[in-house]
Amino acid sequence: MFMGEYQHTIDAKGRLIIPAKFREGLGEHFVVTKGLDHCLFVYPQSEWKVFEQKLKQLPLTSIDARKFVRFFFSGAVECDLDNQCRIMLPANLRTYADLKKDIVSIGVNNRVEIWNKQNWKEYNEEENFISNDLAFKMENIGI
Protein backbone atom coordinates (compact mmCIF):
# COMPACT_ATOMS: atom_id res chain seq x y z
CA MET A 1 0.00 0.00 0.00
CA PHE A 2 1.27 3.46 -0.91
CA MET A 3 0.70 6.48 1.32
CA GLY A 4 2.31 9.79 2.09
CA GLU A 5 3.29 12.95 0.24
CA TYR A 6 6.78 13.83 -0.97
CA GLN A 7 7.99 17.01 -2.63
CA HIS A 8 10.90 17.04 -5.05
CA THR A 9 11.94 18.32 -8.47
CA ILE A 10 12.20 17.05 -12.01
CA ASP A 11 15.41 17.89 -13.88
CA ALA A 12 15.72 19.54 -17.29
CA LYS A 13 16.06 16.13 -18.98
CA GLY A 14 12.77 14.90 -17.51
CA ARG A 15 14.29 12.69 -14.83
CA LEU A 16 12.50 12.30 -11.55
CA ILE A 17 13.68 10.63 -8.35
CA ILE A 18 11.22 8.09 -6.96
CA PRO A 19 10.93 8.58 -3.18
CA ALA A 20 12.54 5.80 -1.15
CA LYS A 21 9.22 5.01 0.58
CA PHE A 22 7.69 4.12 -2.81
CA ARG A 23 10.60 2.19 -4.37
CA GLU A 24 10.09 -1.12 -2.61
CA GLY A 25 6.40 -1.27 -3.48
CA LEU A 26 6.95 -0.27 -7.10
CA GLY A 27 9.89 -2.58 -7.73
CA GLU A 28 12.51 -2.01 -10.41
CA HIS A 29 10.01 -2.07 -13.31
CA PHE A 30 6.62 -0.34 -13.22
CA VAL A 31 4.11 1.48 -15.41
CA VAL A 32 3.49 5.22 -15.60
CA THR A 33 0.44 6.54 -17.45
CA LYS A 34 -1.79 9.57 -17.72
CA GLY A 35 -3.99 9.80 -14.67
CA LEU A 36 -7.22 11.55 -13.92
CA ASP A 37 -7.15 15.18 -12.71
CA HIS A 38 -4.05 15.92 -14.88
CA CYS A 39 -1.59 13.95 -12.80
CA LEU A 40 0.32 10.76 -13.62
CA PHE A 41 -0.54 7.33 -12.21
CA VAL A 42 2.31 4.98 -11.34
CA TYR A 43 1.49 1.29 -10.93
CA PRO A 44 3.64 -1.64 -9.83
CA GLN A 45 3.53 -4.36 -12.50
CA SER A 46 1.18 -6.51 -10.41
CA GLU A 47 -1.35 -3.68 -9.95
CA TRP A 48 -1.08 -2.66 -13.61
CA LYS A 49 -2.03 -6.21 -14.61
CA VAL A 50 -5.12 -6.04 -12.36
CA PHE A 51 -6.05 -2.65 -13.84
CA GLU A 52 -5.39 -3.93 -17.36
CA GLN A 53 -7.76 -6.87 -16.80
CA LYS A 54 -10.50 -4.52 -15.61
CA LEU A 55 -10.04 -2.38 -18.71
CA LYS A 56 -10.21 -5.45 -20.95
CA GLN A 57 -13.61 -6.30 -19.49
CA LEU A 58 -15.17 -2.98 -20.52
CA PRO A 59 -17.63 -3.33 -23.41
CA LEU A 60 -16.05 -2.64 -26.79
CA THR A 61 -19.46 -1.43 -27.99
CA SER A 62 -19.42 1.51 -25.56
CA ILE A 63 -17.79 4.66 -26.92
CA ASP A 64 -17.08 5.89 -23.38
CA ALA A 65 -15.38 2.61 -22.51
CA ARG A 66 -13.24 2.81 -25.65
CA LYS A 67 -12.23 6.39 -24.80
CA PHE A 68 -11.34 5.36 -21.26
CA VAL A 69 -9.17 2.45 -22.44
CA ARG A 70 -7.44 4.61 -25.08
CA PHE A 71 -6.73 7.29 -22.50
CA PHE A 72 -4.84 4.96 -20.18
CA PHE A 73 -3.08 2.75 -22.71
CA SER A 74 -1.97 5.50 -25.09
CA GLY A 75 -0.19 7.25 -22.24
CA ALA A 76 1.32 4.16 -20.64
CA VAL A 77 5.06 3.56 -20.54
CA GLU A 78 7.13 0.98 -18.70
CA CYS A 79 9.80 2.57 -16.53
CA ASP A 80 12.96 1.29 -14.89
CA LEU A 81 14.91 2.92 -12.10
CA ASP A 82 18.41 4.06 -13.02
CA ASN A 83 21.38 3.83 -10.63
CA GLN A 84 20.30 7.03 -8.89
CA CYS A 85 16.70 5.81 -8.38
CA ARG A 86 15.33 8.07 -11.10
CA ILE A 87 12.99 7.49 -13.99
CA MET A 88 12.85 9.29 -17.32
CA LEU A 89 9.38 10.66 -17.97
CA PRO A 90 8.53 11.04 -21.67
CA ALA A 91 7.75 14.54 -22.90
CA ASN A 92 4.10 13.72 -23.64
CA LEU A 93 3.49 12.68 -20.01
CA ARG A 94 5.35 15.72 -18.64
CA THR A 95 3.23 17.97 -20.86
CA TYR A 96 -0.03 16.24 -19.90
CA ALA A 97 0.64 16.67 -16.16
CA ASP A 98 2.33 20.09 -16.54
CA LEU A 99 5.51 18.79 -14.89
CA LYS A 100 8.22 21.43 -15.19
CA LYS A 101 10.18 21.66 -11.94
CA ASP A 102 8.42 21.31 -8.58
CA ILE A 103 6.70 17.95 -8.18
CA VAL A 104 4.64 16.20 -5.51
CA SER A 105 4.43 12.40 -5.36
CA ILE A 106 1.61 10.98 -3.29
CA GLY A 107 0.72 7.45 -2.26
CA VAL A 108 -2.86 6.49 -3.09
CA ASN A 109 -3.43 2.92 -1.90
CA ASN A 110 -2.39 0.73 -4.87
CA ARG A 111 -0.67 3.44 -6.93
CA VAL A 112 1.52 6.53 -6.74
CA GLU A 113 0.40 9.81 -8.28
CA ILE A 114 2.81 12.44 -9.61
CA TRP A 115 1.51 16.02 -9.57
CA ASN A 116 2.68 19.47 -10.53
CA LYS A 117 3.16 21.08 -7.09
CA GLN A 118 0.90 24.07 -7.81
CA ASN A 119 -1.84 21.88 -9.28
CA TRP A 120 -1.71 19.66 -6.16
CA LYS A 121 -2.02 22.74 -3.94
CA GLU A 122 -5.01 24.03 -5.92
CA TYR A 123 -6.63 20.58 -5.92
CA ASN A 124 -6.33 20.40 -2.14
CA GLU A 125 -7.86 23.85 -1.76
CA GLU A 126 -10.82 22.70 -3.88
CA GLU A 127 -11.10 19.49 -1.87
CA ASN A 128 -11.26 21.40 1.41
CA PHE A 129 -14.33 23.16 0.06
CA ILE A 130 -16.17 19.88 -0.49
CA SER A 131 -14.73 17.84 2.41
CA ASN A 132 -17.91 18.03 4.48
CA ASP A 133 -20.00 16.84 1.52
CA LEU A 134 -17.54 14.01 0.88
CA ALA A 135 -17.60 12.96 4.54
CA PHE A 136 -21.40 12.84 4.40
CA LYS A 137 -21.32 10.68 1.25
CA MET A 138 -18.77 8.31 2.81
CA GLU A 139 -20.91 7.92 5.90
CA ASN A 140 -23.90 7.01 3.75
CA ILE A 141 -21.99 4.16 2.09
CA GLY A 142 -20.70 2.82 5.38
CA ILE A 143 -17.13 4.16 5.41
Side-chain angles (χ1 to χ4, degrees):
M1 177 172 59
F2 299 102
M3 57 186 170
E5 177 180 315
Y6 303 91
Q7 298 186 16
H8 41 105
T9 58
I10 190 168
D11 72 16
K13 294 181 181 179
R15 295 176 300 195
L16 173 71
I17 293 176
I18 298 297
K21 293 280 187 182
F22 295 154
R23 286 183 216 142
E24 185 177 330
L26 288 172
E28 290 185 29
H29 312 285
F30 44 89
V31 176
V32 179
T33 190
K34 292 182 282 188
L36 305 174
D37 305 310
H38 287 279
C39 68
L40 301 180
F41 287 175
V42 185
Y43 289 99
Q45 287 288 344
S46 60
E47 289 293 336
W48 177 254
K49 290 189 185 313
V50 170
F51 186 57
E52 185 178 30
Q53 289 304 315
K54 289 178 182 178
L55 292 176
K56 283 181 179 180
Q57 294 176 14
L58 294 175
L60 187 60
T61 55
S62 166
I63 191 167
D64 290 334
R66 291 193 309 270
K67 286 179 182 180
F68 196 70
V69 170
R70 285 182 191 123
F71 176 79
F72 285 108
F73 277 94
S74 68
V77 62
E78 290 185 344
C79 290
D80 299 315
L81 291 174
D82 68 11
N83 292 336
Q84 296 177 330
C85 300
R86 300 174 302 188
I87 58 170
M88 172 67 82
L89 290 174
N92 64 316
L93 292 180
R94 292 192 316 263
T95 300
Y96 170 78
D98 194 29
L99 304 178
K100 293 182 177 109
K101 184 178 180 191
D102 294 321
I103 307 298
V104 177
S105 295
I106 62 169
V108 187
N109 192 13
N110 66 337
R111 71 178 181 272
V112 172
E113 293 182 357
I114 300 171
W115 287 75
N116 166 300
K117 184 178 179 180
Q118 183 61 34
N119 292 352
W120 176 242
K121 181 181 178 217
E122 290 170 8
Y123 177 82
N124 278 306
E125 288 170 356
E126 290 173 16
E127 288 303 302
N128 287 335
F129 178 73
I130 64 166
S131 63
N132 289 335
D133 185 46
L134 182 60
F136 178 75
K137 289 176 183 176
M138 290 173 65
E139 185 177 307
N140 284 337
I141 62 170
I143 296 178

